[in-house]
């Protein structure tokens, strides 16, 4: 497994499907977060569907999500996270994306405290 901060990245389809079925989800205009709390287990996955656009746009969307994730990773609770990029992520500013990111984390109570 590859490490992203203190988190391991999800790679297998069955891992993603398990979190989709068992985890809680929170939606915003640019991001969907699936979260499954677990003790001493830190995993993360990022996805972007073909609805977003070609490979360049999908990769850019995932890079933006990874960058925000690294910013917040020290504040996150243990568990498995899957961030799904929505179509609107392509035209969204960094500030709006950051507020959406924080919004979905607080909705699922996945963050320990807020960044000032």
């Amino acid at each position: 497994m590859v490490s992203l901060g203190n988190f391991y990245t999800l790679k297998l389809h069955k891992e993603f499907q398990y979190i989709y079925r068992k985890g809680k989800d929170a939606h915003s205009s640019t991001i969907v977060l699936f979260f499954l709390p677990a003790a001493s287990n830190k995993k993360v996955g990022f996805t972007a569907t073909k609805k977003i656009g070609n490979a360049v746009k999908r990769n850019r969307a995932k890079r933006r999500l990874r960058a925000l994730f690294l910013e917040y990773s020290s504040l996150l609770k243990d568990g498995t996270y899957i961030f799904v990029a929505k179509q609107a992520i392509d035209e969204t500013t960094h500030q709006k994306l950051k507020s959406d990111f924080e919004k979905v984390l607080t909705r699922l109570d996945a963050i320990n405290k807020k960044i000032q």
Side-chain angles (χ1 to χ4, degrees), residues 15-110:
E15 292 175 320
F16 280 90
Q17 292 303 314
Y18 180 78
I19 303 305
Y20 291 147
R21 280 194 315 274
K22 300 286 185 179
K24 299 175 187 173
D25 60 309
H27 298 255
S28 74
S29 59
T30 55
I31 304 169
V32 179
L33 170 62
F34 292 89
F35 174 60
L36 184 63
S40 71
N41 187 7
K42 294 183 171 188
K43 294 182 180 179
V44 65
F46 301 93
T47 61
T49 65
K50 287 190 176 182
K51 290 179 183 178
I52 291 176
N54 60 14
V56 174
K57 289 182 180 179
R58 292 193 307 270
N59 288 335
R60 182 173 187 265
K62 290 188 282 187
R63 275 196 314 270
R64 292 179 77 187
L65 289 176
R66 276 193 294 270
L68 279 172
F69 178 79
L70 283 173
E71 189 176 325
Y72 284 89
S73 63
S74 62
L75 303 174
L76 297 179
K77 295 182 178 178
D78 290 352
T80 306
Y81 298 81
I82 296 177
F83 294 93
V84 181
K86 284 188 170 180
Q87 207 168 5
I89 198 169
D90 195 32
E91 301 91 30
T92 306
T93 64
H94 180 71
Q95 279 303 109
K96 171 75 169 114
L97 186 59
K98 189 173 180 175
S99 71
D100 281 353
F101 199 86
E102 195 170 316
K103 187 188 317 178
V104 294
L105 287 172
T106 53
R107 274 192 198 150
L108 293 180
D109 193 31

